[in-house]
Amino acid sequence: MKEKKIALLVDVDNVKIGSEAFDELYEKLLAMGDVVYCKFYGYNDRKHLYLNEVILKYGYETAPFMRFKKRYSQLDSRILVDAVRLVYTKPEIDTYCIVAGEGDLIPLLVELKSSGKTVVDVNTEYQEMNAHMFDSHITLSKINIVGEAYSSRGKKATTTTKKAAAPKKASAASKPAAAPKAYAKPAPVQEDYYEEETVYDNDQLSEMLKDITDRYSELDFSDNSDIDKKVELIKDIEVLIDDETRKGEGLNSKNADIRQIFVELQNIVDDMKNAL
């Protein structure tokens, strides 16, 4: 039997998948085949400590979290862009395991299935509505457990009651001792980290990025169709990159996460040019 070549796309920002759930998912995928591509969306090396070692060990890719004032859904649209791009740049991948937040996955699943790909889902609270579109299902016993989904600092600040009067007692007793996990690393102590996350407050940029993603996902770069639309999209992305960079944002932003977003946009432009 031919071993499956699997792409694993995980939105760790919008889906509560902690270290135990990820270990369980990874083992079940390895039983199916070889994970030849993996990318984590919304990843932060201080927030998702349990992933650091596996990322370094296997060279898996990451995409930083994107925070805009106006959120359209909990589906990271970069997953749609990357999945479609992989169909044409890495045709040897025959299976896609997608762990995504709440949003419309149907157009992506239709594209993958029409390209002859097998799609696998996980029992997240968001993917049940699309369960009929997947070819295979993986049930994780540890998913959607909030306390395990982040680093050892505990839950997000929005759900934390601030009883800082006795920090030593709280830190010693708040979590029971657990067996070492395969990818665990010690967590540096940093109070109120979640309140320090940078918010890129630009509604216009948010809308432009969504428009770019939607237009990209509708185009087929395996043939010469819609050349005018493809060229127009390339020009629009290049104008966006140039305009934001000139303003001191974009590729020149002081925020490393914002710079990375524009680096990814530039990579998408390069991929599209190569496909034409």
Side-chain angles (χ1 to χ4, degrees):
M1 182 177 179
K2 182 181 177 182
E3 187 178 58
K4 293 184 179 298
K5 302 296 183 183
I6 304 170
L8 173 59
L9 308 176
V10 188
D11 184 353
V12 292
D13 188 27
N14 290 312
V15 179
K16 302 181 185 75
I17 180 165
S19 56
E20 292 185 21
F22 177 75
D23 291 348
E24 185 181 1
L25 171 60
Y26 202 78
E27 289 177 5
K28 290 185 176 183
L29 287 176
L30 289 180
M32 297 171 57
D34 186 15
V35 180
V36 298
Y37 181 90
C38 180
K39 189 168 184 176
F40 301 99
Y41 300 83
Y43 166 78
N44 184 291
D45 59 351
R46 291 176 290 179
K47 179 178 176 182
H48 304 105
L49 295 166
Y50 63 93
L51 293 174
N52 291 355
E53 188 170 335
V54 69
I55 289 170
L56 291 173
K57 183 176 181 180
Y58 296 108
Y60 290 151
E61 297 183 19
T62 63
F65 63 87
M66 290 194 298
R67 286 288 184 265
F68 299 108
K69 186 176 181 181
K70 184 182 293 183
R71 292 297 297 272
Y72 295 92
S73 70
Q74 288 183 306
L75 175 62
D76 193 319
S77 56
R78 293 173 294 181
I79 288 181
L80 309 180
V81 174
D82 285 343
V84 173
R85 176 172 57 85
L86 287 172
V87 169
Y88 302 110
T89 60
K90 296 184 181 295
E92 68 275 11
I93 295 177
D94 53 27
T95 303
Y96 286 75
C97 180
I98 300 170
V99 185
E102 183 178 11
D104 186 8
L105 279 174
I106 297 296
L108 172 62
L109 300 177
V110 170
E111 175 67 20
L112 292 175
K113 291 169 72 71
S114 65
S115 300
K117 309 300 181 182
T118 298
V119 286
V120 180
D121 78 334
V122 174
N123 56 311
T124 72
E125 57 188 302
Y126 307 124
Q127 289 181 209
E128 292 179 0
M129 65 184 72
N130 298 321
H132 63 289
M133 290 295 296
F134 289 88
D135 301 301
S136 182
H137 308 273
I138 292 178
T139 300
L140 303 179
S141 59
K142 299 293 184 180
I143 202 167
N144 297 329
I145 301 175
V146 177
E148 287 293 328
Y150 306 107
S151 66
S152 62
R153 285 184 297 278
K155 298 180 182 179
K156 292 184 179 180
T158 53
T159 60
T160 302
T161 55
K162 209 153 188 176
K163 291 186 179 180
K168 290 185 179 179
K169 182 178 179 181
S171 60
S174 60
K175 264 196 165 184
K181 297 182 177 64
Y183 310 121
K185 281 192 176 182
V189 177
Q190 181 176 342
E191 295 297 329
D192 297 327
Y193 166 71
Y194 296 102
E195 297 177 357
E196 295 176 7
E197 288 183 349
T198 301
V199 177
Y200 195 73
D201 188 7
N202 189 323
D203 288 346
Q204 183 180 8
L205 178 59
S206 175
E207 292 173 3
M208 293 176 73
L209 288 174
K210 182 178 184 297
D211 176 66
I212 287 171
T213 301
D214 291 343
R215 290 162 61 190
Y216 183 93
S217 63
E218 293 173 357
L219 297 174
D220 184 353
F221 284 87
S222 65
D223 56 36
N224 293 324
S225 62
D226 298 318
I227 292 295
D228 292 342
K229 290 183 178 180
K230 293 172 183 177
V231 172
E232 182 181 9
L233 178 57
I234 291 172
K235 289 181 178 178
D236 287 348
I237 298 177
E238 289 179 329
V239 168
L240 173 62
I241 294 173
D242 291 342
D243 287 349
E244 293 299 314
T245 300
R246 274 198 301 270
K247 291 188 292 187
E249 289 295 340
L251 296 172
N252 291 333
S253 175
K254 294 179 181 179
N255 186 313
D257 293 334
I258 299 301
R259 290 199 305 273
Q260 181 61 35
I261 290 171
F262 279 85
V263 168
E264 291 180 4
L265 283 175
Q266 185 61 62
N267 290 338
I268 290 173
V269 167
D270 293 341
D271 287 342
M272 288 192 291
K273 287 182 175 179
N274 290 333
L276 291 180

